[in-house]
Amino acid sequence: MTSVTMTVNGKKMSGEVEGRTLLVQFLREAQGLTGTHVGCDTSQCGACVVHVDGVAVKSCTMLAQEAAGAEVTTIEGMANPDGSLGVIQQAFQDHHGLQCGFCTPGMVMSAADLLKTNADPSETEIREYLEGNICRCTGYHNIVKSIQAAAATLRG
Amino acid sequence: MPKDHDGIGASTKRREDVRFLSGAGRYTDDINLRGQAYAYFLRSSVAHGNLTSIDTAEAEAMPGVVRIFTAKDFEGVGGLPCGWQVTDRFGQPMKEPGHPVLATGKVRHVGDPIAVVVAESLAEAKDAAEAIMVDIDELPAVIDMKAAVAGGAPLVHDDVENNLCYDWGFVEENREAVDAAIRGAHHVTTLELVNNRLVANPMEPRVAVGDYDRTTGEHTLYTTSQNPHVIRLLMGAFVLGIPEHKLRVVAPDVGGGFGTKIFHYAEEAFCTFAAKAVNRPVKWTCDRSEAFITDCHGRDHVTKIELALDAEGKFLALRTDTLANMGAYLSTFAPSVPTWLHGTLMAGNYTTPLVYVNVKAVFTNTVPVDAYRGAGRPEATFQLERVIDKAARELGIDPIELRRRNFIKPEQFPYQTPVAVVYDTGNYHATMDKLVEIADVAGFPARRAASEAKGKLRGLGIAHYIEACGIAPSQLVGQLGARAGLYESATVRVNATGSISVYTGSHSHGQGHETTFPQVVAEMLGIDATQVDIVHGDTSKIPMGMGTYGSRSIAVGGTAMVKATEKIIAKAKKIAAHLMEAAETDVELAGGQFSVKGTDKSIAWGDVCLAAYVPHNYPLESIEPGLEETAFYDPSNFTYPSGGYACEVEVDPDTGKVEILAFSAADDFGNVINPMIVSGQVHGGIAQGIGQALLEQAVYDENGQLLTGSYMDYAMPRADDVPMYAVDHSCVTPCTHNPLGVKGCGEAGAIGSPPAVVNAVVDALAARGVTHIDMPLTPARVWAAMNAAG
Amino acid sequence: MYDFEFVKPASVADALAALSDEDAKPLSGGQTLLPTMKQRLAMPTKLVSLAGMAELIGVSAEGGVLTVKGATPHAKVAAEATAYPALAALASHIGDPAVRNRGTIGGSLANNDPSACYPAAALASGATIVTTAREIPADEYFQGMFTTALEEHEIITAVKFPIPEAANYQKFVQPASRFALVGVFVAKFATGVRVAVTGASEEGVFRWTEAEEALSSSFTPDAVASLKAPAEGMIGDIHGTPEYRAHLIGVMTKRAVAAAA
């Protein structure tokens, strides 16, 4: 076991991990941040997407020790300081961009990553960007609408 | 008033979203109990074989191992029960081989569990599982259904001749009349088709956590289920022998189900059993790869369908022969899917007077097959809507016109079909008209020409479906072989200040019940919906529940809630009458106020509730204090949503790739509680239907190895595979036999869309001589079909 | 996953030292290795992390050659390989955005998945694979699916791509994995045209010499319109027959030429 420390949602978090401990296991099991989900084992579904040092990664395909010293943001860190839903989260509620909610944390994290680099994505760009996030409930229609709405709000 | 804002018909935002969006959902895998151990299932890597020995000695000595279980530990424990018995066309019961919790004597599919390691950590359990020595005498596997029943094939179960579970005929008395009508018809259109085998793939894999309290003897199972009470009943009564009051089943937030989380699975029984055996909580979390070889699959029919028509295109008779795959064992509701959920829908929206459906259910060395979104009804709709399209082309009649000629007319309802069911209401001409409008069918020729100009082949496909939802009348399904009732319960508990908790036996795993159910209660009472909360998914809290599947929640569960709320209102009126010193018959409830007809006397909802719990001034001589009512509702009929679906595609003639350019749906769901949520249900169903039509298929090789065992080979629809959808549910014929007039909307999208997509692709390729392509219409298949025909 | 020791060396030299242990393996972005290890199909005792090592990251162009350092993630190549737009475009469509933030060019080329994109670019460009031990021409580097000229514990430090006059990559995706069912990279140099095909062959990435000859004479879609790649030796699986893949090679080549010309 090795001790690993990283900053998660602005807080320093440490834990004992094995070499094989995945970042998602560190978050879910060691830190109790169960908002990040595991929906597959081939790095495709995207339920586990978090941000590491400002970019989206699949936390099921990154070792906890690889994130040592990094700044990690999870779905639990996406709300406003007062705990209310952030802009992207709110847009998902407003536009019914989720049903069972299982893929949702990854969707929100991917959407946030997209909107950082593309303030006004087209429908096609959004759909292409979500290639690594699978949703089985919504048929994506309202996810696309949610992200478009969030983009409009963020543009002001 | 609040009710204008968030009552029936309002697109109220979902309250459950706040926790899901905050990462605060509580899914089963988020539950970790103090001292829990982890279970790992060692599964068969071969499809068929005799288990000659299992040696766990070395594995038991491995670090962290708590205990290793094999079939020996389950002697005296029941097998997994089947909840539906089908009677074959000779009056004999179906063959019902046992389904042990752990494979006993034989393994019958890749993934069949052989042993379970319970260890301190999952990694240690996996390490130890590798050290278990298993000897399997491999037997030839039987995978192909036609081969399985042809005679001389290997037997999945030694005592099931020809691997035939049942040979079912419906309506058997019509058999000869149908044959005669087809022999004498002006035209017969014949089609052989495959309804491809699918994997439901809810994004949350299954999880089970078993717990046991030695001091009380109470077992608790946390599980990813659509119907915790059904699991309690099946597992308690048939597998483990635990009475209900000592068995609590909790299905907390569940990340999608689509049918595959209805069934009772071995892992649930195992974790419940093992928690007592090792005296600590036992948790099992399914990997996606494991899900592919353990979650029940869906569909998997091979069908020949024949439609007889007269010279005017009127349908005279319909005959179908289907092989339906059961997999290696009978899952919970598997026998009902290709029979009662399929044959009874073969009249579709049409006046076809004679229908005969033959279904042979077949055992193969594959994962069990059971209900998947739509369950039987998509298979029926697909056959029917494909054969009608083919007939239209053969007869040179416009496919929309051919359907209209044969639609049951609005004035013909209630309509007795030749396949047992009675449609209460519907207006198929209206939904077809609406579809033609929203899909801009009139503009299609111009769009096709534009596509052709850039070298693409454009096609328009139409389908019109009917389904039977709101499953369903208990006495009827009992006659048909169901071993469970299909009512629903609700308890409405009004608290002293007027806030309300509704305890429903329905289960929400994405459908938004926490939002829509309060809309109904709020509407009835004239109070704000935020005063109403829903409790579901826990057998210790809810009296009884049959759960959520078959688009039944609002039609059956919602009606139970309405009935309980009606009882609340009746009692509250008595209290209000007493408080206002008026006759009970003069008391009215509106806008959250009780008032006396023709006077200015009124009293607020909250004051009446308070009086019920502080009965100082209260008619104690005639009614009890308190305000809580329970209702069980058993419907008198199914509900029959219907609708028209249109798909427009472009096919790339160089590669065979199909692109969906537009998709429209005009549904009649009866009355709608929350239009936003209903649209969302349709969207999701359409995406799954598009997935079936273009992308998805579970494929086994001849040895029974699943070739599509992960998302690397099983193609899930992604955001760029589907378009925006135009959905409409403004055509409303309210259900006549439930008070809300609702029909259910959960499965429609998955039922109407596959034939619309395939019809569109065939339309695009018709000029090249293509008449049919089996799903999924992958680029490779479309390209091959174009070349074969051309 | 079996457990292993994770080490994160500060330099390539330290990485090589760490890799001298038996059963040690380099870990770059891990987007293939980690899923493989999850299935317990690989059991290294030590993983030596190369990701994020400054000396292994960077994209630069000089003298008609684009150099991508070994641990450069796909997203960085997509953003920064402006001197070689076809390569940037290829990198921008590998996997998905999250995968592109982790996966690296060195990892991809070392793995040599028969349906990966980068091998097609390297082979068609006539790239040079620079390792800790030597420089290997692409024509010698790719030796069949999942097989390369790399020796045990040799690390790819950079890939040097001669920048063509015109180039394009066309990928026809396998619908599930979104890897290339067939991918064709066409690169036109003053000395001639090179065409590399990924996804299709049982031998991994290969050069389609008939197309190269035809395109070297006339760099037009018509030049390859009548060419047919042979189906023999092509992969046949549930996603496509050998004949279909062979057909797609022709279609994708034609489209790549049309897009590049």
Side-chain angles (χ1 to χ4, degrees), chain B residues 74-422:
Chain B
F74 285 82
E75 282 167 8
V77 168
L80 303 175
C82 180
W84 201 301
Q85 185 188 64
V86 165
T87 302
D88 75 8
R89 64 193 189 87
F90 311 104
Q92 298 301 309
M94 67 185 190
K95 300 291 191 302
E96 195 174 350
H99 187 182
V101 174
L102 296 180
T104 309
K106 228 178 159 190
V107 290
R108 294 186 173 86
H109 67 87
V110 170
D112 215 356
I114 295 169
V116 193
V117 181
V118 175
E120 298 295 337
S121 74
L122 181 57
E124 286 168 326
K126 284 185 183 178
D127 291 343
E130 288 187 358
I132 297 175
M133 309 294 188
V134 179
D135 281 328
I136 297 178
D137 239 354
E138 205 171 335
L139 297 166
V142 56
I143 305 302
D144 178 73
M145 284 194 281
K146 283 182 183 165
V149 292
L155 296 180
V156 179
H157 298 277
D158 296 343
D159 51 353
V160 179
E161 204 180 332
N162 284 330
N163 297 304
L164 186 65
C165 177
Y166 55 73
D167 176 353
W168 183 77
F170 184 67
V171 173
E172 194 61 24
E173 296 72 50
N174 287 351
R175 189 184 176 96
E176 285 174 18
V178 170
D179 289 349
I182 288 175
R183 271 197 306 273
H186 168 77
H187 184 85
V188 179
T189 295
T190 303
L191 186 57
E192 290 188 38
L193 44 77
V194 171
N195 203 290
N196 41 328
R197 184 179 182 115
L198 303 177
V199 183
N201 273 308
M203 292 319 297
E204 178 202 31
R206 289 188 296 118
V207 182
V209 186
D211 193 16
Y212 180 66
D213 185 337
R214 279 205 118 61
T215 63
T216 61
E218 188 182 310
H219 298 260
T220 303
L221 170 69
Y222 300 90
T223 181
T224 48
S225 176
Q226 299 176 218
N227 33 225
H229 287 85
V230 175
I231 302 306
R232 184 182 66 169
L233 179 64
L234 294 175
M235 184 174 78
F238 297 98
V239 188
L240 299 179
I242 305 169
E244 283 94 335
H245 69 297
K246 295 296 183 192
L247 176 56
R248 175 184 174 207
V249 179
V250 184
D253 286 332
V254 173
F258 314 114
T260 205
K261 290 177 182 168
I262 296 172
F263 323 122
H264 177 40
Y265 285 97
E267 296 85 1
E268 295 173 315
F270 176 80
C271 288
T272 307
F273 178 86
K276 182 177 180 185
V278 303
N279 196 28
R280 56 195 283 194
V282 173
K283 180 175 190 172
W284 169 76
T285 301
C286 190
D287 284 343
R288 180 61 61 188
S289 303
E290 193 178 14
F292 271 99
I293 54 168
T294 63
D295 285 9
C296 286
H297 293 181
R299 314 283 194 259
D300 206 356
H301 288 190
V302 175
T303 295
K304 180 183 177 191
I305 181 166
E306 296 157 285
L307 175 65
L309 305 93
D310 71 13
E312 277 72 53
K314 284 291 278 184
F315 303 160
L316 302 175
L318 185 79
R319 181 168 63 197
T320 74
D321 278 293
T322 289
L323 292 176
N325 207 336
M326 294 287 105
Y329 301 100
L330 287 180
S331 172
T332 311
F333 291 115
S336 69
V337 175
T339 52
W340 300 109
L341 295 179
H342 163 250
T344 51
L345 276 302
M346 286 309 305
N349 307 100
Y350 311 103
T351 54
T352 320
L354 287 166
V355 176
Y356 180 73
V357 178
N358 181 259
V359 177
K360 293 184 181 72
V362 185
F363 289 110
T364 59
N365 292 115
T366 62
V367 173
V369 180
D370 204 329
Y372 166 62
R373 200 171 194 169
R377 292 148 291 174
E379 293 90 322
T381 301
F382 184 70
Q383 295 164 41
L384 202 50
E385 294 300 298
R386 279 292 299 128
V387 81
I388 291 171
D389 230 58
K390 187 160 185 259
R393 217 168 281 284
E394 288 173 356
L395 294 173
I397 302 173
D398 175 79
I400 295 174
E401 168 59 22
L402 182 60
R403 288 179 171 87
R404 281 185 174 135
R405 268 183 216 175
N406 288 282
F407 275 160
I408 299 160
K409 294 184 178 64
E411 60 272 21
Q412 289 178 282
F413 293 95
Y415 185 82
Q416 172 68 58
T417 71
V419 275
V421 293
V422 178

